[in-house]
Amino acid sequence: MHVRNIVILTGAGVSAESGIDTFRDAGGLWEQHRVEDVATPEAFARDPDLVHRFYDMRRAAIQTKQPNAAHAALARLDREWPKKAGGEVLIVTQNVDDLHERGGALNVLHMHGEHLTAWCAACDARHRWTGPLSHRPPCPACAAPALRPDVVWFGEVPYRMDEIFAALREADLFVSIGTSGAVYPAAGFVRAARDLGARTLELNLERSQGSAWFDETRLGPATEIVPAWVDEMLG
Ligand code: BV8
C-alpha cells in the first residue's frame, strides 16, 4: 500500500528516556496515590492543594528535561514527509510535556492537555504557565484565583477528538509509540484506524494491552526503534 497520511499516537514511553516518569513508574509512587486517584476532578475538588502539588512538581520537572532521539526523529518525519510523500504527519500525543515541540515537531495535538498551560475555571481563558499554581495566583485575564492545570483528568473529555477522527479517516498508516494502551479513548484508536483501512504499527519497549490489534509490533527503546523506523520511511 502506498502510504501518504500518517497518524502517530505517542505516550509516556516516548519521553521515558528523557527522564520523565511513565505512568507505570509514577503510578502509586507519588505520595502513595495512584495517578487515577489524583488526576480527577473529584480529587481536585476534594484536595486542590494535593493535586496542585502533584502538577507543580511535574510542571517544574519537565522544564529540566531535554527531548531525546525519538522526539527528534519524529520531528524530522514531520518536516520531511510532506515533501517526500505528498502526505501529512499528525502527532497525537497523550503526553502533557512539551518535548515533541522542543524536539522540533510542528504538527502536535495534545489530546490530554499540557503542563505548560493554566486554564481559568472562572473565565475559561488559557495562559502559558511555567511556574506553580498551588499559591492560587490571579488569572491574568480576570484576576480570579481560579487557575487549574490545563490537563484532561480521568472522567473529563479529551481535546480535539473530532480532529483526531478526521485524521484517522484519512490515515494510510497508524503508528503507536510508547503507550501501554491502558486508557481510552486513545487506546481504541488502533481499532478505529484498522476499521478505516489503515495499516497499524506499534513501536514500544514491551508488548502493550493493544498489541494484538497491530499488524506489526517492534519492541525496543524508543530512542533506538523510532529513528530506525523514520530512516526506513524517509528512505
Ligand atoms: C473519557 C493527563 C469520555 C493527566 C491522562 C473502564 C473501562 C474503560 C474505560 C474506562 C473505564 N472507566 C473509566 C474509563 C475511561 C477512562 C479510562 O480509560 N480509564 C482507564 C484507567 C481504564 N478514560 C477517561 O476518563 C478519559 N475520558 O473517557 O471521557 C469520552 C470518551 C470518548 C469521547 C468523549 C468522551 C480521559 C483519560 C485522560 C486521563 N489523563 N493524562 C496527566 O498526565 O496527569 S491519562 C495518562 O495515562 C496518559 O495521558 C495516557 O493516556 C495514560 C496511559 O499512559 P501511557 O502514556 O500509556 O503511559 P504508561 O506508563 O501507561 O505506559 C508507558 C508505555 O511506554 C509502556 O507500554 C512501556 O512499555 C512503554 N515504554 C516505557 N519506556 C519506554 C517505552 N517505550 C519505548 N521506549 C521506552 N524507553
Side-chain angles (χ1 to χ4, degrees), residues 7 90 92 109 111 158-171 185-193 195-196:
V7 172
L90 173 65
V92 178
L109 192 160
M111 67 176 289
Y159 290 156
R160 302 169 64 184
M161 289 294 290
D162 48 350
E163 289 175 63
I164 294 171
F165 277 96
L168 289 174
R169 275 193 291 278
E170 299 303 316
F189 290 166
V190 58
R191 262 164 279 178
D195 293 349
L196 291 163

Side-chain angles (χ1 to χ4, degrees), residues 162-185:
D162 48 350
E163 289 175 63
I164 294 171
F165 277 96
L168 289 174
R169 275 193 291 278
E170 299 303 316
D172 304 302
L173 176 61
F174 174 78
V175 187
S176 176
I177 303 174
T179 180
S180 61
V183 172
Y184 288 81

Side-chain angles (χ1 to χ4, degrees), residues 38-62:
V38 175
T40 68
E42 295 75 19
F44 188 60
R46 184 172 60 242
D47 189 346
D49 291 325
L50 176 87
V51 175
H52 271 311
R53 274 204 315 276
F54 179 51
Y55 284 93
D56 286 357
M57 176 197 74
R58 290 169 65 201
R59 186 180 308 109
I62 65 165

Side-chain angles (χ1 to χ4, degrees), residues 189-231:
F189 290 166
V190 58
R191 262 164 279 178
R194 285 177 73 93
D195 293 349
L196 291 163
R199 207 153 53 78
T200 55
L201 167 66
E202 180 181 41
L203 306 178
N204 208 54
L205 187 65
E206 56 199 6
R207 286 183 66 78
S208 71
Q209 295 183 31
S211 290
W213 295 95
F214 287 90
D215 296 316
E216 182 188 359
T217 291
R218 296 182 192 176
L219 300 182
T223 55
E224 287 173 24
I225 62 176
V226 175
W229 171 67
V230 169
D231 289 346

Side-chain angles (χ1 to χ4, degrees), residues 4-5 9 25 47 49 60 63-65 81 115 123 195:
R4 290 189 65 255
N5 299 319
L9 173 69
D25 308 326
D47 189 346
D49 291 325
Q63 296 176 69
T64 68
K65 310 297 183 193
W81 185 253
H115 272 317
C123 74
D195 293 349

